[in-house]
Amino acid sequence: QVQLVESGGGSVQAGGSLRLSCAASGRVLSSWIQGWFRQAPGKEREFVALIRWRGGSALYADSVKGRFTISKYNGENTVYLQMNSLKPEDTAVYYCAVGPQYETNHRLYKYWGQGTQVTVAS
């Protein structure tokens, strides 16, 4: 079993920055993938970014490429999502998840955090 806890959400003005954290406990296999997803009211959950649990090989949605950075440091059980140049359309609940496949489809992820709200005011 794996537990994930997100933190770092909040409210910012457009152009601002936030850093989300996702702390994992339990048995996360080094081969697994850590993903960030978001869901705005009335919309489908969408992929934001992912990284291999052992590091490297990050992948981003086109909508956040160049503005968001996913990272994980060796020896830590926490994955970060640095979000810069935030836009009102980034407003959503952000979720972290882990799963065995290098995929952007949220349905393929096995464990999920509770989510953290990010609100960007124009």
Side-chain angles (χ1 to χ4, degrees), residues 12 48 81:
V12 295
V48 175
L81 185 68

Side-chain angles (χ1 to χ4, degrees), residues 107-119:
R107 295 175 180 83
L108 299 177
Y109 283 73
K110 190 170 183 179
Y111 299 103
W112 289 83
Q114 81 286 353
T116 186
Q117 177 71 45
V118 171
T119 303

Side-chain angles (χ1 to χ4, degrees), residues 33 35 37 47 49-50 59 100-106 108-109:
I33 306 302
F37 297 82
F47 167 73
L50 64 79
L59 183 68
Q101 298 185 53
Y102 195 85
E103 287 284 348
T104 61
N105 185 343
H106 65 88
L108 299 177
Y109 283 73

Side-chain angles (χ1 to χ4, degrees), residues 6-27:
E6 302 102 334
S7 60
S11 297
V12 295
Q13 293 292 115
S17 298
L18 284 172
R19 188 176 81 155
L20 306 183
S21 301
C22 177
S25 59
R27 192 164 178 260

